[in-house]
């Protein structure tokens, strides 16, 4: 058992419920419900410690405990896919955060017991606008691959279902046709995408139409989904603070899509507990690019119900200066966490106790025994 290997009962206990059970609302490795300790807003939990402290192993154990029972994703900010763009992908249309959001959504979409796949229409609409900034070279095979990966985030059926493949192919054909000739690609691509969303009658098309309208509130868009997506792409392409502004909306889009999956009595009856995002090496750009927008939005009153568990190398970080602080054993029955006004107060920094001398080294390093 992971709990025995780590001596982490404060996190994994089922009765009385440990920290994970109280935040996720499910007991580890089962569908038994647990009352939420923080029903309105869960803290963004960050496990802190030095190398070899077992942080990665704790995240892997959390994934094992909840995979198949509630939507869950694990990313590692140090993985190469989150540090450099693919050789064929222009830097202007790629970032660690965008890659992390795509990868996390693909994992969160997977069916769980009693419920089907989750669709991410808001996120896929935004990612499509961002990717279009890198399609100026008219590399059609690459465009097709990138667009297909993004559009399939909106699909609730199997990745390989015939219908999903047909509607995605139709949308991509419109996108490619819009790129003929010379000149800018972003605006005609967005126009073609919105047109394709409007023409279809499938659930996937309806979700994308609804998702596009979600961007109407994007700053300076004047209520226009088309202008909103063009501005999003332009800001992302500009880099710096403008890119961080765009990324914040993409993070918000992913969380809004997750909230939609739980909206309504029928949805909630099929989906127990909260969705979980696990971020290893949160101090890296991919991790901070998720952590900081979530903390800022929660401080601004933009709520979500996702549970975040992250691992930080070290015991402090500027983005967490006002976080609550606990040693893991102190969180065994109640955290006592209360958020303040600042974004960083929305986080809870949890230091891990030293591993037992008998803990196998393989688990200390996050590998299976």
């Amino acid at each position: 058992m992971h709990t025995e290997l780590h001596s982490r009962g404060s996190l994994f206990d089922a009765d009385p419920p440990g920290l994970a059970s109280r935040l996720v609302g499910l007991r580890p490795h089962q569908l038994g419900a647990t009352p939420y300790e923080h029903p309105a807003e869960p803290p963004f939990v960050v496990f802190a410690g030095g190398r070899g402290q077992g942080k990665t192993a704790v995240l892997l154990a959390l994934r094992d405990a909840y995979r198949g029972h509630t939507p869950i994703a694990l990313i590692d900010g140090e993985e190469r896919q989150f540090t450099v763009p693919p050789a064929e992908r222009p830097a202007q249309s790629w970032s660690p955060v965008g890659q992390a959001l795509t990868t996390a959504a693909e994992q969160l979409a997977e069916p769980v017991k009693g419920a089907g796949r989750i669709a991410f229409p808001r996120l896929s609409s935004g990612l499509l606008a961002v990717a279009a900034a890198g399609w100026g070279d008219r590399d059609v095979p690459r465009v097709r691959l990138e667009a297909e990966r993004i559009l399939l985030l909106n699909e609730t059926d199997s990745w390989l279902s015939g219908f999903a493949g047909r509607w995605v192919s139709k949308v991509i054909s419109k996108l490619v046709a819009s790129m003929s000739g010379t000149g800018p690609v972003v605006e005609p691509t967005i126009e073609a995408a919105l047109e394709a969303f409007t023409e279809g009658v499938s659930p996937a098309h309806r979700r994308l139409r609804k998702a596009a309208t979600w961007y109407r509130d994007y700053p300076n868009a004047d209520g226009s989904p088309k202008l909103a997506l063009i501005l999003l792409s332009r800001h992302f392409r500009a880099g710096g603070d403008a890119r961080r502004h765009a990324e914040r909306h993409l993070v918000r889009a992913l969380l809004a899509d997750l909230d939609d999956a739980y909206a309504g009595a029928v949805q909630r009856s099929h989906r127990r507990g909260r969705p979980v995002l696990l971020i290893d090496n949160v101090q890296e750009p991919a991790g901070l690019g998720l952590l900081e927008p979530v903390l800022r939005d929660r401080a601004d009153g933009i709520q979500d119900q996702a549970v975040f568990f992250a691992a930080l190398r070290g015991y402090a970080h500027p983005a967490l200066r006002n976080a609550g602080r606990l040693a893991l054993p102190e969180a065994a029955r109640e955290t006592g966490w209360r958020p303040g006004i600042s974004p960083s107060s929305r986080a809870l920094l949890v230091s891990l106790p030293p591993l037992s001398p008998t803990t196998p080294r393989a688990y200390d390093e996050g590998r299976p025994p």
Side-chain angles (χ1 to χ4, degrees), residues 19 68 175 206 235 245 250-251 258 260 295 312-313 328:
L19 178 61
L175 301 183
R206 289 195 294 270
H235 291 153
H245 173 77
L250 292 175
V251 173
L258 281 176
D260 250 14
L295 297 185
L312 173 71
R313 183 176 301 152
L328 183 55

Side-chain angles (χ1 to χ4, degrees), residues 23 49 61 73 76-77 88 93 119 138 146 242 257 271 331 342 355 365:
L23 296 186
D76 182 350
E88 68 281 2
S93 66
R138 273 73 172 180
E146 291 180 10
D257 285 332
R271 296 193 179 278
S342 67
L355 291 170
E365 297 176 350

Side-chain angles (χ1 to χ4, degrees), residues 11-189:
L11 179 61
F12 291 103
D13 279 351
D15 189 17
L19 178 61
S21 297
R22 302 195 311 272
L23 296 186
V24 179
L26 289 176
R27 298 173 183 175
H29 300 285
Q30 53 185 285
L31 289 173
T34 298
Y36 295 123
E37 179 181 347
H38 301 284
E41 176 190 330
F44 194 120
V45 176
V46 179
F47 299 115
R51 284 185 178 273
Q53 198 81 23
K55 302 182 298 298
T56 297
V58 167
L59 296 184
L60 290 171
L62 282 165
R63 185 181 63 179
D64 291 348
Y66 289 108
R67 186 160 49 185
H69 299 294
T70 196
I72 192 164
L74 170 62
I75 67 164
D76 182 350
E78 284 193 337
E79 281 189 16
R80 182 174 175 80
Q81 66 166 317
F82 305 121
T83 58
V84 294
E88 68 281 2
R89 184 81 177 263
Q92 65 179 357
S93 66
W94 182 93
S95 77
V97 178
Q99 182 69 14
L101 288 169
T102 304
T103 304
E106 287 172 343
Q107 296 178 47
L108 289 164
E110 289 301 316
V112 298
K113 186 170 291 187
R117 292 180 60 84
I118 291 178
F120 290 91
R122 295 170 181 83
L123 179 62
S124 58
S125 296
L127 290 175
L128 194 66
V130 166
W135 293 346
D137 56 5
R138 273 73 172 180
D139 181 353
V140 172
R142 178 172 63 83
V143 170
R144 288 187 177 277
L145 286 174
E146 291 180 10
E148 182 180 53
R149 183 180 184 187
I150 292 169
L151 288 168
L152 283 173
L153 292 176
N154 183 53
E155 182 54 55
T156 57
D157 294 326
S158 166
W159 290 89
L160 301 177
S161 72
F163 180 76
R166 288 194 297 274
W167 84 259
V168 167
S169 294
K170 288 180 180 179
V171 175
I172 293 174
S173 294
K174 278 191 170 292
L175 301 183
V176 172
S178 73
M179 295 165 50
S180 60
T182 60
V185 169
V186 173
E187 186 166 343
T189 298

Side-chain angles (χ1 to χ4, degrees), residues 324-347:
R325 291 178 178 270
L326 285 176
L328 183 55
E330 297 174 312
R333 300 296 172 256
E334 184 181 9
T335 64
W337 173 80
R338 297 292 182 273
I341 297 174
S342 67
S344 60
S345 72
R346 269 34 210 192

Side-chain angles (χ1 to χ4, degrees), residues 265-283:
V266 175
Q267 296 272 51
R268 287 194 297 272
S269 68
H270 289 289
R271 296 193 179 278
R272 304 178 184 181
R274 288 164 162 157
V276 181
L277 284 89
L278 309 171
I279 308 171
D280 203 0
N281 289 298
V282 74
Q283 74 280 351

Side-chain angles (χ1 to χ4, degrees), residues 288-307:
L288 290 177
L290 298 180
L291 179 145
E292 292 177 332
V294 173
L295 297 185
R296 287 199 299 270
D297 273 3
R298 289 179 176 181
D300 288 344
I302 301 173
Q303 294 186 330
D304 68 87
Q305 286 293 301
V307 175

